[in-house]
Amino acid sequence: MVCFATNNQHKIEEVRALLSPDFPLVGLDEIGCYEDLPETQATLEGNSLQKAEFVFNNFKVSCFADDTGLEVTSLNGDPGVYSARYAGPQRNSTENINLLLKNLKGIANREARFRTVITLITPTVTKQFEGIVEGYIIDELRGSSGFGYDPVFIPKGFDKTLAEMTLAEKNLISHRALALQKLVGYLKASKII
Ligand code: IMP
């Protein structure tokens, strides 16, 4: 059994779609963890490690945790590790997008990337996996699927936003899917699953 240390139902759905149906993946509620996981570090690597360590140390189950940031080149990598709280602690996606578009007003370079870092902790190993999707930020919101910054992010080589894609389309290219594929490859190679 491996626990995905997240309270975000969207993410659990994304991950389940990538795994075979018999993969013994459980969420935090299934191991009795109802607390907010600590994420007080200044990097994606630090936060994903902190969350995974919290679950492993307190619940003694193999687990992985992810942390993702939208890194915008002309904003010096912001909002980055603060992506969820960009417009304030209320973690509101619409407000985050509005602030992002305001800060990019008049700026020609719209280059951005989503970067995910996953930390896996088992009794024998602690390991990190990274996934990146490059793209750019558009000025208007398009599409209604997905979450977060999806309506303003167009991946490189595409003409629609992540929010205009189906979950299956997003899972072929997304930062989290790429990091997750590396994780699953590792679990299989090391015979953990
Ligand atoms: P988290 O660390 O995965 O919770 O991600 C932090 C923040 O990045 C989220 O609150 C979202 O605003 C944003 N984010 C993460 N993954 C995605 C995604 O797949 N699409 C759009 N925004 C995302």
Side-chain angles (χ1 to χ4, degrees):
M1 176 177 92
V2 180
C3 174
F4 182 11
T6 182
N7 287 308
N8 184 329
Q9 206 50 44
H10 283 287
K11 286 191 195 172
I12 298 208
E13 281 162 30
E14 282 189 9
V15 171
R16 279 201 201 284
L18 283 167
L19 297 168
S20 62
D22 56 341
F23 182 87
L25 182 77
V26 296
L28 285 172
D29 50 345
E30 286 155 283
I31 60 165
C33 176
Y34 302 103
E35 295 140 84
D36 279 340
L37 303 182
E39 43 181 334
T40 56
Q41 305 303 303
T43 61
L44 300 176
E45 284 78 3
N47 271 347
S48 77
L49 176 64
Q50 188 179 22
K51 289 187 277 190
E53 272 180 340
F54 179 87
V55 172
F56 186 78
N57 292 338
N58 288 290
F59 295 89
K60 315 289 180 218
V61 292
S62 293
C63 63
F64 61 91
D66 73 329
D67 204 44
T68 294
L70 175 69
E71 300 175 337
V72 181
T73 305
S74 55
L75 300 178
N76 299 316
D78 280 350
V81 74
Y82 304 106
S83 293
R85 300 161 273 166
Y86 194 34
Q90 66 282 9
R91 296 170 174 254
N92 181 289
S93 288
T94 308
E95 292 176 23
N96 288 340
I97 287 177
N98 288 342
L99 179 60
L100 177 70
L101 296 186
K102 186 172 150 227
N103 290 341
L104 281 173
K105 217 178 173 101
I107 295 178
N109 182 355
R110 317 289 293 195
E111 194 179 82
R113 63 182 194 169
F114 279 110
R115 192 167 73 89
T116 293
V117 176
I118 291 176
T119 303
L120 168 74
I121 305 186
T122 75
T124 53
V125 78
T126 296
K127 204 167 162 54
Q128 295 197 310
F129 307 87
E130 184 187 59
I132 289 173
V133 59
E134 305 276 357
Y136 58 95
I137 304 296
I138 57 168
D139 254 329
E140 46 166 355
L141 281 73
R142 279 170 33 188
S144 56
S145 60
F147 68 101
Y149 298 88
D150 279 350
V152 292
F153 184 89
I154 296 187
K156 217 172 250 175
F158 291 79
D159 59 5
K160 54 185 178 184
T161 68
L162 288 176
E164 292 176 300
M165 295 183 178
T166 63
L167 182 55
E169 285 176 309
K170 182 178 172 183
N171 268 343
L172 286 177
I173 57 162
S174 92
H175 44 98
R176 195 167 24 259
L178 295 176
L180 208 83
Q181 279 158 14
K182 291 183 189 172
L183 166 72
V184 171
Y186 176 81
L187 293 174
K188 284 184 176 155
S190 53
K191 308 244 184 289
I192 292 174
I193 59 171

